[in-house]
Every structure is written in structure tokens, then in C-alpha cells.
Amino acid sequence: AQSVAQPEDQVNVAEGNPLTVKCTYSVSGNPYLFWYVQYPNRGLQFLLKYITGDNLVKGSYGFEAEFNKSQTSFHLKKPSALVSDSALYFCAVSEGQGAQKLVFGQGTRLTINP
Amino acid sequence: GAVVSQHPSWVICKSGTSVKIECRSLDFQATTMFWYRQFPKQSLMLMATSNEGSKATYEQGVEKDKFLINHASLTLSTLTVTSAHPEDSSFYICSARERDYYNEQFFGPGTRLTVL
């Protein structure tokens, strides 16, 4: 069975600094990896996904993530953080073809300090 | 494109009553819809997967008689919480997968259910 771990419950970054939100995964086959962001009392907004191809994936709002197969990681990054990036971030994995059953990590609360 | 709506956005009901939540794909045909619940400060847990025209597949530990799911058309799925109790209070989120673009799920804005 697939699983996702987000080792940090909370990440605090100063505005303008680079940010990283960590994610590691476990699947038996080829992973489909996703990052979503959630604002208070809202649903999830899609940021980016890795299906195949280039290990560096660029997504919405200047975010990017790097797929590392040997380390089974898919960390989310942004070169320069904005206060408006403060939100709850979820990493998710789906095993095999298509976005079937998504398994989510526990979430990381990102706070960008002015 | 790829917009999913949910109605209502929030609902308060008395214990013992039933509540229906609608999930609609507004600009695409959703062959598969997913229902999740999220407790405060926790992650999303998949409750069930519904395919248009067939019975939903429930995750282990989810009572199918309590959480009734209907996916009668390619744009609408409903979740009915029957005989709701305070422990059913949660944030319910649906997502939809498009017929021809199966590599992504599009999420609705969620429904906050409070059972008194």
C-alpha cells in the first residue's frame, strides 16, 4: 500500500527567503505525485504533479518540486516566499496509471513571516 | 476549466436528521468522483469512490449505510449522511476525475457539517 510522509508539521520562513516543504513517499509501482494547497475552510487547490519525464516539475504560483527516485522524495520549493503563500500544504501519491486513490500526507502548515 | 462545486458550503443540523451534500463538475464530465472527510488540523481521508452509474466503493471502516453515495450522472454525485450524530461533524470534500484526463483529481471547495 502506498503512503506519504510530511515530516514537518509546521515550517516558518521569512518573506523573500527560499522555502522547502518536505515529502517522502512509498509505493510498490510507479508513483504519481501531487502537491495541493489548502486555505482555511476551503478545498484543495492543485499546485503541481509528477507523472513522468523531467524530475523538476514547475507548477502554479512559482512553486516547483523535484522528484528524487533514489530518495523517494518529492519536496516542494519556491525561490522567494510571499506572505500570501502561508497555508496548509499536502503531498499526495497515487500508485499506477491515473489519479486513482490518492493517499495524502498529514499536511505541513507553512507560515511566511513579513 | 475543471471546476467542481459543492452545495451547501456549510450546514448545521440536529442529531438524528439526514443531510445531503451535492458535488458537481461544472465544465467537464466526471466519470469518477471521490469523497473525503477532513477533521480539524488533520489530513484528508478517502471515504469512497463513485463511478457514474455504478455502486460506490467504500474504504475500510466507512459505513456504507450511514454515508450513502449516489453518482447518477456524469456531472453530479451526492453524499447523504443519514441519522447524523455529533461525531459526524467534519469537513467533507469531493473531487472529480475527468473522463479523458485521468491523471488529476479536481477538488470542490468543501462542505462544513456541524451536527448539534
Side-chain angles (χ1 to χ4, degrees), chain B residues 56-69:
Chain B
T57 301
Y58 289 81
E59 294 298 302
Q60 192 173 6
V62 178
E63 299 176 59
K64 60 179 66 177
D65 293 331
K66 180 167 187 63
F67 298 99
L68 301 179
I69 292 172

Side-chain angles (χ1 to χ4, degrees), chain A residues 15-92:
Chain A
E15 186 178 23
N17 283 1
L19 68 86
T20 298
V21 183
K22 296 179 181 178
C23 171
T24 58
Y25 66 91
S26 174
V27 298
S28 56
N30 293 321
Y32 283 56
L33 294 157
F34 304 82
W35 275 103
Y36 291 90
V37 59
Q38 185 181 35
Y39 295 97
N41 294 311
R42 302 290 296 276
L44 272 63
Q45 295 180 29
F46 171 78
L47 283 179
L48 50 79
K49 66 178 183 283
Y50 172 82
I51 304 297
T52 186
D54 194 349
N55 289 342
L56 183 63
V57 179
K58 293 187 182 297
S60 306
Y61 312 117
F63 284 93
E64 59 186 30
E66 185 167 10
F67 171 63
N68 188 317
K69 188 173 183 178
S70 62
Q71 297 185 4
T72 61
S73 67
F74 190 57
H75 301 330
L76 181 70
K77 299 181 180 183
K78 186 173 182 179
S80 179
L82 300 173
V83 173
S84 57
D85 292 331
S86 298
L88 187 58
Y89 289 79
F90 290 100
C91 180

Side-chain angles (χ1 to χ4, degrees), chain B residues 3-113:
Chain B
V3 178
V4 176
S5 69
Q6 279 184 243
H7 179 79
S9 56
W10 59 270
V11 56
I12 301 173
C13 69
K14 294 182 178 180
S15 184
T17 61
S18 295
V19 175
K20 179 184 284 188
I21 302 170
E22 293 185 349
C23 177
R24 292 182 184 273
S25 57
L26 298 185
D27 51 3
F28 66 98
Q29 293 184 327
T31 50
T32 307
M33 287 185 169
F34 306 85
W35 287 95
Y36 299 83
R37 67 185 298 180
Q38 183 182 29
F39 291 106
K41 298 185 179 181
Q42 293 190 26
S43 188
L44 281 74
M45 298 298 294
L46 179 65
M47 299 175 65
T49 302
S50 74
N51 293 296
E52 185 264 339
S54 62
K55 291 184 178 180
T57 301
Y58 289 81
E59 294 298 302
Q60 192 173 6
V62 178
E63 299 176 59
K64 60 179 66 177
D65 293 331
K66 180 167 187 63
F67 298 99
L68 301 179
I69 292 172
N70 183 280
H71 191 167
S73 77
L74 285 172
T75 60
L76 173 65
S77 177
T78 60
L79 167 67
T80 301
V81 183
T82 63
S83 187
H85 288 93
E87 58 265 31
D88 298 324
S89 299
S90 188
F91 195 52
Y92 292 87
I93 304 174
C94 74
S95 70
R97 196 175 68 174
E98 191 174 8
R99 177 202 294 271
D100 297 323
Y101 190 62
Y102 51 81
N103 285 333
E104 190 170 332
Q105 291 183 26
F106 302 99
F107 285 81
T111 296
R112 171 77 58 194
L113 171 63

